[in-house]
Amino acid sequence: MTAPLPEFLEACESLGLLRLIVTSDAAVLEVRCPLTKLFYAELPKGKYANMHQDDFEFHLNMDQIKQVKFETGEAKRGNFTTYAIRFLTAADQPALSAFLQWGKPGEYAPGQVEAWEALKAKFGEQWQPE
Amino acid sequence: MTAPLPEFLEACESLGLLRLIVTSDAAVLEVRCPLTKLFYAELPKGKYANMHQDDFEFHLNMDQIKQVKFETGEAKRGNFTTYAIRFLTAADQPALSAFLQWGKPGEYAPGQVEAWEALKAKFGEQWQPE
């Protein structure tokens, strides 16, 4: 299916605590936060989704996101599953990754994995934003 | 001059509160934090400088940083000067930017701009890490 990206981003609030990851050629920032209270701005570079918190800011150029992909994996440390959503550009690069964030390693909050599965069922394991 | 990047990163603690910015093709994360309590790791991809805080993590592949550049600018909102350090890759892309973070717009903490100027005088406006 296809859907507007803002609709999906707002639905991601149901996932609870996330680890948002942005990677440049040589650096990585990761913040732990739910995706919540988004606001939007039309800028010359594109339509942005934004989030401001006390200690960090997040900006996403939605026009550049060509595919959204649900992905499970193995945790690097510990024997448990990771649940990610990748926001990919036309070059198939993950411009943004959102992982379900556990409390203790592998211990997700009640309902968190179910919410991820529900979003995947609703939007599709891989889909293109409108 | 030239210097080891860890020496410079550790000297950046003197700058106080920073805004660290990492940008991918389509997303931006910015965190407000001093550069402090760094630790290092040799990974297959390179030698990393790392910082863990309660709500975020920062990782820098130091092997990819070919130039460090001090840069002043005009704030987008408000009539004051911004003070940045750009960490550039071989492709001249800023993999990481660190801006002096004000309290109220334009109001830097006492000594903060002087510390930035002192680092610039010591290491050079543009220099190559060893």
Side-chain angles (χ1 to χ4, degrees):
Chain A
M1 81 169 261
T2 183
L5 198 50
E7 180 188 328
F8 179 72
L9 292 171
E10 284 157 30
C12 284
E13 187 163 356
S14 68
L15 300 172
L17 192 61
L18 296 173
R19 175 178 293 256
L20 303 174
I21 305 177
V22 171
T23 302
S24 72
D25 291 344
V28 185
L29 274 181
E30 308 186 7
V31 302
R32 292 155 51 101
C33 186
L35 209 51
T36 184
K37 293 180 192 161
L38 292 171
F39 60 96
Y40 302 94
E42 296 267 6
L43 298 178
K45 281 191 191 174
K47 193 171 184 219
Y48 276 76
N50 306 283
M51 179 167 60
H52 284 190
Q53 299 285 338
D54 283 351
D55 289 329
F56 75 89
E57 286 185 23
F58 161 75
H59 308 282
L60 180 67
N61 184 339
M62 295 189 292
D63 291 351
Q64 296 293 322
I65 302 304
K66 303 304 180 193
Q67 197 179 175
V68 177
K69 201 165 147 186
F70 286 76
E71 208 176 86
T72 55
E74 279 289 306
K76 281 185 215 156
R77 289 165 196 145
N79 181 26
F80 60 92
T81 303
T82 59
Y83 299 86
I85 299 171
R86 307 280 191 185
F87 297 80
L88 305 168
T89 62
D92 236 26
Q93 291 299 307
L96 166 71
S97 299
F99 281 77
L100 293 188
Q101 176 64 50
W102 52 80
K104 289 181 187 166
E107 293 181 13
Y108 295 101
Q112 214 176 2
V113 172
E114 291 76 6
W116 186 90
E117 294 286 1
L119 280 191
K120 181 175 139 184
K122 180 174 175 190
F123 289 87
E125 187 165 349
Q126 290 189 38
W127 59 279
Q128 284 75 43
E130 269 176 24
Chain B
M1 81 169 262
T2 184
L5 198 50
E7 178 187 328
F8 179 71
L9 291 171
E10 286 159 29
C12 284
E13 187 164 355
S14 67
L15 300 173
L17 190 63
L18 296 173
R19 174 178 294 255
L20 302 175
I21 305 176
V22 170
T23 303
S24 72
D25 289 344
V28 185
L29 274 180
E30 308 186 7
V31 302
R32 291 155 52 104
C33 187
L35 209 51
T36 184
K37 293 181 192 160
L38 293 172
F39 61 97
Y40 302 95
E42 296 267 6
L43 299 178
K45 280 191 191 174
K47 193 170 186 219
Y48 276 76
N50 306 283
M51 179 167 61
H52 284 191
Q53 299 284 336
D54 284 349
D55 289 329
F56 75 90
E57 286 184 23
F58 162 74
H59 308 281
L60 180 67
N61 184 340
M62 295 188 294
D63 292 351
Q64 297 293 323
I65 301 304
K66 303 305 181 192
Q67 196 178 175
V68 178
K69 201 165 144 185
F70 286 75
E71 211 175 86
T72 54
E74 278 290 307
K76 282 183 215 158
R77 291 168 196 144
N79 181 25
F80 60 92
T81 303
T82 59
Y83 299 87
I85 300 170
R86 306 281 191 185
F87 296 80
L88 305 168
T89 61
D92 235 26
Q93 290 300 307
L96 166 72
S97 299
F99 280 78
L100 294 188
Q101 176 63 51
W102 51 80
K104 289 182 188 166
E107 292 182 12
Y108 294 101
Q112 212 176 3
V113 172
E114 291 75 6
W116 186 91
E117 294 285 3
L119 280 191
K120 180 175 139 184
K122 181 175 175 189
F123 288 86
E125 188 165 350
Q126 288 190 37
W127 60 277
Q128 284 77 41
E130 269 178 25

